[in-house]
Structure formats: structure tokens, C-alpha cells
Amino acid sequence: MRRFFDLVFSAAGLILGSPFFLLLWIVGFFMIGSPLFRQTRVGRHQKPFVLVKFRTMKPGTPSVASHLVDGAAITRWGRFLRRTKLDELPQLWNVLKGEMSLVGPRPCLFNQEELIQERAQRGVYEARPGITGLAQIKGIDMSVPALLAETDAVMLGNLRLSDYFRYIFLTVAGLGRGDRAPSG
């Protein structure tokens, strides 16, 4: 049932939001020069997929977890996008393609070996990664791999349709913080 809602909401979001996405892309183009960001992430069954986001960091920033990046790499436009979570909107394309869900564990990078191992031990990779989830609502980021993996496993083990909608609502309402990056 969650996949049905993923398809409906991502398709509706992409169609209805397309003028807004275009505006964000144009502003990003003039402010950063390269408004979209693509990065290979760990997906369901540990298969790679290319995640799409609006760029929040300067082009050429090393591909590491957000908490490890130099805070000065985040642009002024990027800080706005992160604070409002608008940088995540292009991931609706990943959801529509079936690579992600709206709700699930945030996809990590392949160089986050400790987190990958912790998640694999707990069966987290049986599910599609998500745009938001319990860890984001609780403010748990990838800097604490064991706690994040445990929280992801608990969420997946207890995820009901009502939780799916609650996590989306709480994220849109401003509770989901995502990965923290140092301030520059």
C-alpha cells in the first residue's frame, strides 16, 4: 500500500510542482551555476542508485557524509534549501522510479562503511531508502551509525500506514532535520 501512495504522491508532486522546481532550478543556476546534484547512494539490497537533489554545496565538494564536510562548502542558497528541505524535492523522481520511498532510511554513501555494516546486520536494506523517516524526525543523523541503523530497523519493523503519513506530515511541518552539516 505504501508503494501506491509513493507513486501517487511523487507523480502529483512532480506534475504540480514543476513550475516551482523550474524556479528553484533557475535561481540555483544563477547562484551556484550547477543547480542539480547527482550522487551514487546505497539503495535497496545494497544496490547503487543515483540520487538527485538540488545542489546545496559548492561544485567540487568532496563526496562525504554531510557531518564530515567543511561548513564553508555550503552556499548561502544551499543553507536556505536545506533549512526549508526544498533540496530534497528532486528525489520525488527517485521515488517515482522505485529507487526510493517517501518514508524509509535515508540512503547513505558507499564510503560510509560502518553505517552500511550496521544496517546490513539489522536487515535495513530489505526496504527502499526514503526521503524522511523516524531518524530524521528524532534528529538522528549519519554521524552516529549504530544508533541510526537501530532507529531505522525499529521504524521498518513497526511501520504502519499511519506512521507513513505521520512522518511525512512532521517533516513537512518542519520537524525532520536531515543530516547536520557544520556551519561555515
Side-chain angles (χ1 to χ4, degrees):
M1 195 64 163
R2 288 191 312 258
R3 183 68 190 135
F4 170 77
F5 287 113
D6 281 347
L7 287 170
V8 170
F9 292 148
S10 62
L14 288 166
I15 292 167
L16 298 174
S18 59
F20 185 62
F21 292 176
L22 180 61
L23 177 64
L24 291 174
W25 187 90
I26 290 169
V27 172
F29 179 79
F30 285 107
M31 298 202 69
I32 300 175
S34 178
L36 283 181
F37 173 72
R38 294 170 192 84
Q39 188 178 56
T40 301
R41 298 281 182 106
V42 181
R44 187 176 191 187
H45 305 300
Q46 296 188 39
K47 292 183 180 175
F49 76 100
V50 178
L51 178 124
V52 184
K53 293 177 76 168
F54 282 118
R55 183 179 295 280
T56 61
M57 298 183 199
K58 297 174 185 170
T61 300
S63 191
V64 296
S66 293
H67 67 278
L68 298 175
V69 80
D70 179 3
I74 300 173
T75 66
R76 197 168 170 192
W77 175 243
R79 287 197 194 290
F80 166 75
L81 290 176
R82 282 173 173 253
R83 189 176 61 250
T84 59
K85 298 173 210 63
L86 295 173
D87 63 319
E88 309 284 354
L89 290 177
Q91 291 172 63
L92 291 174
W93 178 247
N94 294 110
V95 173
L96 187 65
K97 288 172 48 181
E99 297 166 329
M100 292 181 70
S101 175
L102 291 175
V103 174
R106 288 294 299 152
C108 65
L109 299 165
F110 277 93
N111 62 9
Q112 292 179 277
E113 295 169 8
E114 185 180 353
L115 179 55
I116 292 169
Q117 181 181 357
E118 294 283 351
R119 282 179 164 173
Q121 290 173 356
R122 292 171 173 82
V124 171
Y125 291 113
E126 296 303 311
R128 285 181 181 88
I131 295 176
T132 192
L134 180 59
Q136 285 67 44
I137 301 304
K138 288 187 166 197
I140 301 167
D141 71 3
M142 294 184 182
S143 65
V144 285
L147 177 59
L148 177 57
E150 181 61 32
T151 304
D152 290 339
V154 167
M155 174 189 67
L156 293 171
N158 300 309
L159 190 60
R160 297 180 315 263
L161 200 54
S162 60
D163 296 321
Y164 173 92
F165 287 111
R166 186 168 57 92
Y167 296 150
I168 292 170
F169 173 77
L170 290 173
T171 299
V172 171
L175 195 55
R177 291 184 178 83
D179 285 339
R180 290 177 219 123
S183 49

